């Protein structure tokens, strides 16, 4: 059997849900996607100074990052997690 990449993840239902890929998504949209899927959301706003201190190459790798965009999430995208799990997201807060 040959492996293939899956772009659309089908939610198995019940007590688990697929974690969406939130990188680059507006923080409010990301929060809604997670809560609609049954997850608990923890949000962390990060300034440019903080991002540069913790990850000095971030803005070199992602120079078009805009205010309000999610820059990280605690659980991997397209993984299945129990509904009610806490997913932490961090976003760039320019101001």
């Amino acid at each position: 059997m040959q492996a293939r990449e899956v772009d659309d993840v089908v939610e198995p239902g019940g007590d688990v849900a697929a974690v969406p890929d939130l990188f680059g998504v507006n923080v409010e949209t990301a929060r809604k996607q997670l809560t609609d899927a049954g997850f608990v959301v923890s949000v962390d706003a990060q300034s440019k100074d903080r991002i540069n201190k913790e990850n000095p190459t971030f803005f070199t790798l992602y120079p078009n990052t805009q205010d309000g965009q999610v820059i990280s999430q605690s659980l991997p995208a397209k993984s299945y997690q129990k509904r009610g799990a806490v997913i932490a997201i961090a976003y760039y807060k320019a101001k």
Side-chain angles (χ1 to χ4, degrees):
M1 178 180 227
Q2 186 176 19
R4 62 186 174 92
E5 185 174 326
V6 177
D7 289 326
D8 295 315
V9 178
V10 178
E11 186 176 305
D15 290 337
V16 296
V19 177
D21 182 358
L22 301 170
F23 187 81
V25 174
N26 174 275
V27 65
E28 293 307 321
T29 301
R31 184 192 311 259
K32 182 171 181 356
Q33 287 180 14
L34 291 172
T35 56
D36 286 354
F39 297 112
V40 175
V41 184
S42 171
V43 178
D44 181 23
Q46 296 191 2
S47 67
K48 189 169 190 172
D49 288 342
R50 180 174 169 196
I51 295 168
N52 282 330
K53 183 177 181 181
E54 294 177 10
N55 185 352
T57 62
F58 182 84
F59 286 103
T60 300
L61 295 171
Y62 306 103
N64 297 322
T65 302
Q66 300 294 311
D67 184 44
Q69 285 183 320
V70 173
I71 59 171
S72 69
Q73 63 189 74
S74 62
L75 294 176
K78 298 186 181 180
S79 66
Y80 289 101
Q81 304 294 330
K82 287 187 177 183
R83 294 180 196 276
V86 176
I87 299 181
I89 57 175
Y91 73 97
Y92 173 45
K93 184 167 175 71
K95 300 170 186 162

